[in-house]
Amino acid sequence: MPVMAAMRFNPDLKRVYGRLNAKGKHAKIAITAIMRKLVILANALLRDDRLWMPKAARFRLVIKMPEALPDRPLGLPPVGCDRSLLDAR
């Protein structure tokens, strides 16, 4: 079933399914709503004679170090930071 693969690998459709489940909709109702979205998308792509393009990433990871505190000089990781993540460069 294409809907199951789409819900698994497409973050937007996965979010829609999760939102419908959170509202208390039954699983089959939510799957049917995702099927409808896929059919509408396919019809729009055929109508406009274009290919489907995945969305680019919507966010980027930004890590900010805390300001220098009297007891912690700059350059040291924040308290509670996992050192193994910093050493894996």
Side-chain angles (χ1 to χ4, degrees):
M1 187 183 243
V3 173
M4 302 309 279
M7 286 184 339
R8 190 167 158 197
F9 296 108
N10 187 321
D12 293 330
L13 295 179
K14 185 185 286 191
R15 198 173 312 117
V16 170
Y17 180 78
R19 188 181 70 228
L20 290 172
N21 270 345
K23 282 184 174 180
K25 302 291 183 187
H26 293 287
K28 288 188 179 183
I29 300 288
I31 290 171
T32 304
I34 302 296
M35 279 193 280
R36 178 175 163 77
K37 283 182 114 16
L38 285 176
V39 168
I40 290 171
L41 174 64
N43 283 335
L45 292 175
L46 289 172
R47 178 192 65 216
D48 298 342
D49 193 28
R50 64 187 177 104
L51 297 175
W52 180 79
M53 296 295 230
K55 290 183 181 179
R58 295 183 188 184
F59 62 90
R60 62 173 200 227
L61 181 62
V62 176
I63 300 174
K64 294 183 178 182
M65 296 298 290
E67 297 295 323
L69 299 174
D71 59 337
R72 296 195 61 79
L74 282 177
L76 291 178
V79 176
C81 180
D82 187 7
R83 298 257 337 153
S84 65
L85 295 175
L86 298 173
D87 297 332
R89 293 181 203 184

